[in-house]
Amino acid sequence: TARNLPPRQYVAQMCFSWATFLTSLLWVALFANEVVGAMQLLGVIIGLKPMAAGITLLAWGNCVDNVFGLLGLAKAGEYRVAITGIYAGPMFNVLFGNGSILLMSAMLNGGRTAFMMTP
């Protein structure tokens, strides 16, 4: 570049942006690890089996974002959309999640899969 013109791309700014992004990922990982540890401790205190505690707490964590989204829709006056989302969101998660897992399992096992309905 010429002496009187600024450079077109700032390398220091790009490095700072990437360092900030990676640091935020590390903070999210640290926070998630602490939350998982706290939930494991809560399961031990309550006396839940690790599998039951994991499924229950995972389900609660999976619904938190839906709660805030649906509250925003309800506050905006979109009650019908919010009520539809209350039922459609979890139903989609269960049907699509379990269905895709069972489909992949059946494809890998020649068309049959063992699916235990009771614990």
Side-chain angles (χ1 to χ4, degrees), residues 35-45 53 57:
V35 168
V36 168
M39 293 299 111
Q40 286 176 342
L41 179 64
L42 182 65
V44 169
I45 291 172
L57 297 174

Side-chain angles (χ1 to χ4, degrees), residues 64-77:
V64 170
D65 59 341
N66 290 341
V67 170
F68 290 117
L70 296 175
L71 283 174
L73 283 170
K75 287 181 181 179

Side-chain angles (χ1 to χ4, degrees), residues 45-94:
I45 291 172
I46 294 174
L48 290 174
K49 294 179 184 176
M51 181 67 80
I55 291 173
T56 303
L57 297 174
L58 180 65
W60 289 346
N62 192 21
C63 293
V64 170
D65 59 341
N66 290 341
V67 170
F68 290 117
L70 296 175
L71 283 174
L73 283 170
K75 287 181 181 179
E78 298 291 336
Y79 301 110
R80 290 182 180 177
V81 177
I83 291 173
T84 302
I86 289 171
Y87 295 109
M91 185 169 58
F92 174 78
N93 288 342
V94 168

Side-chain angles (χ1 to χ4, degrees), residues 1-6:
T1 62
R3 290 194 154 235
N4 58 355
L5 295 175

Side-chain angles (χ1 to χ4, degrees), residues 9 24 29 33 35 38 61-62 86 91 95 100 106 110:
Q9 184 177 8
S24 67
N33 192 22
V35 168
N62 192 21
I86 289 171
M91 185 169 58
L95 294 177
S100 62

